[in-house]
Amino acid sequence: MKLENKNTKMRQFAEDLFVQELDALREEDKKEVKPQNWNLSPKAVKKFIMGGQASGVEISQKYMGDERLVEIAIATLLTDSALLLVGEPGTAKSWLSENLCAAICGDAKKVIQGTAGTIEEHLKYSWNYALLIANGPNMDSLIKSPIYNAMETGTIARFEELSRCVTEIQDAMISILSEKNIAIPELNTQVYAQKGFSIIATANTRDMGIHDMSSALKRRFNTVYLPLPKSIDDEVEIVTKRAKNIAHTYQIQADIPAQELIKRVVTIFRELRQGHDIDKKVKFNSMEQPLSTAEAISVITGSMAMSACFGSGQVNEKNLAISLHTTLIKNNEEDSIVWVEYLRQMNKRNDDWKSLHAQCLDLCS
Ligand SMILES: Nc1ncnc2c1ncn2[C@@H]1O[C@H](COP(=O)(O)OP(=O)(O)O)[C@@H](O)[C@H]1O
Ligand SMILES: [Mg+2]
């Protein structure tokens, strides 16, 4: 059977992925007062993120967690503070930032990916050198950065992994955020931020120590900390919903695993993350590998892909064991030792678990 393939883009941004939901919200929101340059009112933005109903259309829940955090994030974007989403890797910082931009400006594509190699030109502007040499410096030869574009249009730019950038870049951000303009000395002009302009930056707590953010920069941001899911049931729900979405997007022809299996995977992640079993009786060493909800989601989607390609389309424990092994161990000898130790200690748990543990141990030998 040939797979149905209506959309050819491998990855769609939130504004394209949820276009019907956004249309329905806009319809319902017609009479509401909207902040300048916002497509939706703050209440409708919250509904887009937290889910509900609008004009007869089901609005899916994008962020699963404390709605107050989402309210703080939305309210921050109405002020002159930028928004900084902080948390462990895989706590939906990028996902929330993308969906907020999609709801507020219908465009989550103005993104800067922060790395150690990010330079000031990436934040401000650069030049098309062929045009620059041919015509000299003028607006046509200027290449605008995502932040420049956002300022000009009164929209939101995203800055991923801000804390990975070197201090000079973080300092350049201070001036952008406080002055709200970018000077172009070559043209003796500047671009001023229009109302609605803001930046949503993300930072991983694991990277925080590398290039510590100065207090001057931190002050320009309102920081919202996104926690790991509180309970097993919350995490199972997130994993189930996101794995379903991803399998649907990539047309993986397999059923979502039974809740009990997903719960076992989530339990393994939580126990390894916390360094002890759920009953707090057995302790384990910690792994270097991040063990976030995002990795648990990829274990489930990986097992579904295995089962779709080489099995019956029903995820079994062998599919899960292979997917767990690939996600958890990568090529790290020490993580592999922690994993085997964990499996040996937890093997006594109860009979329902035995088969999954045995399959996992088999792969380690
Ligand atoms: N609380 C949550 N609500 C919804 N999705 C979540 C949550 N936590 C993790 N995820 C999912 O985990 C995946 C990774 O999230 P991502 O935004 O890339 O993490 P981060 O940027 O924090 O490292 C996404 O598919 C996201 O939907
Ligand atoms: Mg991210």
Side-chain angles (χ1 to χ4, degrees), residues 50-109:
M50 298 307 294
Q53 286 276 336
S55 321
V57 172
E58 170 95 26
I59 309 296
S60 59
Q61 187 175 5
K62 318 292 179 308
Y63 178 69
M64 280 155 261
D66 188 348
E67 67 174 5
R68 254 177 319 164
L69 296 179
V70 174
E71 287 173 357
I72 297 168
I74 298 170
T76 299
L77 295 168
L78 282 168
T79 68
D80 65 346
S81 280
L83 173 65
L84 177 63
L85 301 175
V86 177
E88 295 258 318
T91 42
K93 300 180 293 298
S94 305
W95 177 240
L96 181 58
S97 127
E98 178 177 340
N99 280 288
L100 283 170
C101 289
I104 295 170
C105 359
D107 176 14
K109 298 181 189 79

Side-chain angles (χ1 to χ4, degrees), residues 122-235:
H122 297 152
L123 306 194
K124 297 181 173 174
Y125 58 88
S126 54
W127 298 97
N128 175 327
Y129 285 103
L131 288 176
L132 187 67
I133 291 164
N135 307 328
N138 61 34
M139 270 302 177
D140 292 337
S141 42
L142 189 88
I143 302 171
K144 299 169 182 177
S145 74
I147 293 182
Y148 188 122
N149 274 317
M151 274 190 171
E152 211 172 32
T153 50
T155 52
I156 302 173
R158 296 167 52 205
F159 200 134
E160 287 285 297
E161 311 289 1
L162 175 62
S163 47
R164 286 210 193 154
C165 296
V166 295
T167 317
E168 289 82 346
I169 293 302
Q170 297 193 15
D171 287 348
M173 279 298 288
I174 298 179
S175 89
I176 288 175
L177 290 173
S178 48
E179 309 299 326
K180 303 270 194 289
N181 70 46
I182 294 176
I184 314 160
E186 297 89 336
L187 301 180
N188 196 20
T189 183
Q190 41 200 327
V191 58
Y192 293 95
Q194 298 300 304
K195 283 200 176 133
F197 165 72
S198 195
I199 290 181
I200 306 180
T202 64
N204 271 320
T205 36
R206 285 193 182 216
D207 291 334
M208 281 310 220
I210 302 175
H211 299 292
D212 253 344
M213 284 167 69
S214 65
S215 42
L217 181 56
K218 281 188 193 148
R219 197 157 53 76
R220 262 82 189 179
F221 281 106
N222 203 6
T223 303
V224 173
Y225 179 78
L226 298 187
L228 285 157
K230 273 204 191 92
S231 69
I232 291 196
D233 290 344
D234 289 349
E235 197 160 355

Side-chain angles (χ1 to χ4, degrees), residues 50-51 92 145 181 223 249 264 284 299 305 312 323 353 360:
M50 298 307 294
S145 74
N181 70 46
T223 303
T249 308
R264 271 179 220 164
F284 321 108
V299 166
S312 61
S323 201
W353 284 78
C360 290

Side-chain angles (χ1 to χ4, degrees), residues 282-338:
V282 191
K283 284 195 172 164
F284 321 108
N285 286 335
S286 54
M287 278 190 168
E288 266 180 43
Q289 158 70 28
L291 298 162
S292 73
T293 316
E295 276 78 36
I297 295 169
S298 73
V299 166
I300 300 298
T301 49
S303 67
M304 289 170 77
M306 286 287 293
S307 156
C309 298
F310 308 112
S312 61
Q314 303 283 320
V315 173
N316 57 29
E317 288 179 335
K318 179 146 195 217
N319 302 136
L320 275 184
I322 294 175
S323 201
L324 270 168
H325 191 87
T326 354
T327 306
L328 290 177
I329 306 305
K330 304 265 160 46
N331 222 353
N332 188 322
E333 190 70 26
E334 271 155 35
D335 280 357
S336 163
I337 295 170
V338 177

